[in-house]
Amino acid sequence: MNNKNSPSNLGAVVSVRGSVVDIRFDTHLPPIYSMLHAKEGKIVIEVLAQLDSHHVRGIALTPTQGLARGMAVENTGGPLKAPVGGGILSRMFDVFGNAIDRQAAPTDVKWRTVHRAPPALASRSTKSEIFETGIKAIDVLVPLERGGKAGLFGGAGVGKTVLLTEMIHNMIGHHEGVSIFCGIGERCREGEELYRDMKRAGVLPNMVMVFGQMNEPPGSRFRVGHAALTMAEYFRDDERRDVLLLIDNIFRFIQAGSEVSGLMGQMPSRLGYQPTMGTELSALEERIANTDTGAITSIQAVYVPADDFTDPAAVHTFSHLSASIVLSRKRASEGLYPAIDPLQSSSRMATPGIVGKRHYGLAQEIRRTLAQYAQLKDIIAMLGLEQLSPEDRNVVARARRLERFLTQPFFTTEQFSGLKGKLVSLKDSLEGCERILHDEFKDYPESALYMIGAVDEAKSKNKSGPQPEPEQEVNHAAGIHES
């Protein structure tokens, strides 16, 4: 590497347009992805294009206030780097690896480039294992894969971040590895709340947090995912530990890439997204893999613009995932939390060869029952429940009890709901669904199954003993008002 102050290392600013900076170098042109420093390192620019033999165009990863034409720019001679090592545990970082938790910078760390190739096919593991979360609706209907990628899809305000936080809480207890939380374009209060919650829960010693906040330039938000992944790869490859990588929110990564692309003057594609969206997303997602040394299991929240699942951002993200958990605004409005839509959600783990014949058969029976109920809703709304055949009425009763049993009080919402959080094993979840499908709880009111853990809690909740539920009440609950 050249001496920092040598003339071959220095350039001059030619133009500044927002976050886009053009720089002239008279001798050596910096390679793509090189980091350039201006104003004594206060302004950091990443080279994204070489315009000609003397000019490069870069995007600033920091605000550009005070940058002017003619100002000296220094080529650092390397790309953006992230800190790795045991010293980063229990800490919070920004995209540059600076500690942002008001503590001294960690000392025993090494620095690695954030631009790394995905693991070779030969080193990837091919065995499929289930990753239990303790959340009934997920473990039964959308089982997650160890070393896989799961997406939480939903519009604004349907509970993506709450579900993600609950998974951190549940998994860290019986998850021996390291958890890395990557906030891309997040509100600063969410990061602060998460830090406090994790500290209170005593799980910070095995956790690292990396944030590129909403108010930061798009270049910074675009690279924060790569920085978090570099840390995750260190724990997987060097320390041979399993890593739980939580990303909130992958749509903001695509959005930041779109802003960078627009600023760089590229022609937009459909709906204004960048033409390189598929490539950029793949470069990030393909690094999340299960290898012989360990696994990176990733759970990613995905904001769906205007609840439109045909949006290119949602479609491109779907293709990378082994499980898609779709959150429904309608279920949230009915108070069915977590608001997971069982008919839209899917997992490639839900096959007899992986989860076993009993689990697979039960999951299919639950989906069938809920799908039949969805078809009958129009008839109930027009003619009333009493017009259905006795068999269809049983289907409705089973489906409504299943819907309520698949709700669950969360540890992370105790202070708001007043209900103690519950962690439910897969065995208890399957047993509860099986007993409901066999009509064991048909004489219990639906409310006895709402917001409980294991199914036997319904009996203690319904202290006065089983009571037949009046048809009128079922009709009312189904949204029918008899004339």
Side-chain angles (χ1 to χ4, degrees), residues 284-297:
L284 188 76
E285 296 281 8
E286 283 300 300
R287 288 168 63 181
I288 302 169
N290 195 350
T291 68
D292 303 331
T293 54
I296 299 178
T297 303

Side-chain angles (χ1 to χ4, degrees), residues 68-110:
R69 280 192 290 184
M71 220 172 238
V73 176
E74 172 204 314
N75 174 16
T76 63
L80 180 65
K81 292 190 167 117
V84 297
I88 67 171
L89 287 170
S90 82
R91 303 300 303 272
M92 193 191 259
F93 298 97
D94 65 8
V95 69
F96 304 111
N98 301 322
I100 51 171
D101 51 8
R102 297 184 185 172
Q103 295 178 45
T107 49
D108 52 338
V109 295
K110 296 184 289 237

Side-chain angles (χ1 to χ4, degrees), residues 249-477:
N249 176 319
I250 204 74
F251 173 78
R252 306 270 175 233
F253 166 76
I254 293 171
Q255 198 176 37
S258 176
E259 288 180 47
V260 168
S261 172
L263 288 165
M264 293 296 290
Q266 290 177 344
M267 182 77 74
S269 69
R270 198 156 70 88
L271 296 186
Y273 286 107
Q274 63 272 42
T276 50
M277 174 167 66
T279 313
E280 289 166 2
L281 190 61
S282 302
L284 188 76
E285 296 281 8
E286 283 300 300
R287 288 168 63 181
I288 302 169
N290 195 350
T291 68
D292 303 331
T293 54
I296 299 178
T297 303
S298 174
I299 299 166
Q300 310 170 4
V302 187
Y303 167 69
V304 180
D307 293 345
D308 175 17
F309 284 89
T310 64
D311 188 273
V315 171
H316 276 270
T317 310
F318 264 122
S319 64
H320 290 281
L321 306 172
S322 55
S324 303
I325 301 165
V326 176
L327 300 178
S328 145
R329 195 173 299 283
K330 188 170 183 299
R331 292 178 83 79
S333 67
E334 290 169 7
L336 299 172
Y337 287 103
I340 295 167
D341 186 328
L343 302 178
Q344 273 194 289
S345 304
S346 64
S347 167
R348 69 171 188 213
M349 293 288 101
T351 63
I354 296 171
V355 296
K357 285 185 180 168
R358 175 178 173 246
H359 183 163
Y360 176 75
L362 266 175
Q364 292 298 93
E365 185 63 28
I366 292 165
R367 285 180 199 275
R368 199 176 302 118
T369 306
L370 294 173
Q372 283 175 279
Y373 175 42
Q375 288 172 342
L376 292 168
K377 274 181 178 171
D378 287 345
I379 299 171
I380 297 170
M382 287 187 288
L383 304 174
L385 192 73
E386 66 279 359
Q387 297 301 317
L388 297 178
S389 67
E391 193 183 323
D392 282 348
R393 262 194 248 186
N394 281 340
V395 167
V396 170
R398 263 180 235 134
R400 290 181 61 79
R401 280 165 177 76
L402 278 170
E403 280 184 338
R404 275 140 193 78
F405 177 63
L406 291 173
T407 62
Q408 190 166 337
F410 280 176
F411 292 97
T412 48
T413 57
E414 279 177 11
Q415 66 202 63
F416 309 113
S417 65
L419 299 169
K420 195 168 180 346
K422 296 279 164 62
L423 183 82
V424 187
S425 70
L426 177 60
K427 180 173 165 287
D428 287 346
S429 302
L430 290 173
E431 186 194 333
C433 292
E434 194 168 42
R435 286 165 69 181
I436 291 168
L437 287 167
H438 290 161
D439 288 337
E440 189 179 319
F441 292 86
K442 70 175 181 182
D443 295 331
Y444 283 73
E446 292 169 0
S447 57
L449 291 157
Y450 179 67
M451 284 293 170
I452 60 170
V455 77
D456 285 327
E457 290 179 30
K459 294 183 175 176
S460 57
K461 198 172 177 184
N462 190 40
K463 287 191 179 108
S464 52
Q467 296 164 343
E469 193 169 41
E471 207 165 90
Q472 188 90 21
E473 192 181 329
V474 178
N475 274 356
H476 179 68

